[in-house]
Every structure is written in C-alpha cells, then in structure tokens.
Amino acid sequence: MTPVLPPFLVGLVAAPLVKRVAKPLVRGIIKTSVGLTLEVRRAAVEASEEIQGLTAEVAAEKMTGSARTRRVKADGEVTAQGAAAG
C-alpha cells in the first residue's frame, strides 16, 4: 500500500497549485482568443463594406454607360429619321 500513498499525496498537494497556475493561464488564453475573434469580425465587416462600396461604384458606372449608349442610339435614330424626312 505504500507505493500508492505517495502519488496520492503528491496529487493532493499538486492539485491546488495546478489550479492556481492553470486558472490564470486558461483565462489569458480565453481573453486572447476572444480579442482575436473580435478583431477578425471587425476586419470582415470592413472588407464587406469595401466590397459593397466597390459594387455600388461599378453598378453606377454601368448604369451611366448604359444611359450614354441609349442616348447615342436614340440620337442616331433621330438623325436617321430626320435625314429620311428632310
């Protein structure tokens, strides 16, 4: 029975020490991971806003380009009709 007693006693003594050391260590790890998660989310939101801004710019350019193309076609048709009538 004596070989079992010393490891048991070591466990009884070591458990509170491990708890005192492990708790702050685990707390620090959790704090760091939460901080990193928040930073990643912030970066993702910023990237999403950038993509939405670029999408809006491209859509506006396409709409402007489409309107110019329609005007040219409309002017061409008016000129063709005017020439045929005149």
Side-chain angles (χ1 to χ4, degrees):
M1 186 110 192
T2 50
V4 176
L5 188 59
F8 176 72
L9 289 177
V10 170
L12 284 177
V13 172
L17 294 175
V18 169
K19 184 178 177 182
R20 286 184 190 158
V21 172
K23 186 174 181 179
L25 181 66
V26 171
R27 185 183 191 118
I29 291 169
I30 291 171
K31 259 182 141 175
T32 303
S33 63
V34 168
L36 287 173
T37 301
L38 293 176
E39 285 294 318
V40 168
R41 283 185 180 179
R42 184 188 59 78
V45 167
E46 287 180 7
S48 174
E49 289 173 355
E50 281 289 321
I51 291 171
Q52 287 177 354
L54 289 172
T55 303
E57 287 178 23
V58 170
E61 288 176 7
K62 283 294 229 180
M63 294 299 287
T64 304
S66 295
R68 288 182 185 161
T69 305
R70 287 186 206 139
R71 279 190 221 135
V72 169
K73 287 181 181 177
D75 289 343
E77 291 172 5
V78 171
T79 305
Q81 290 175 355

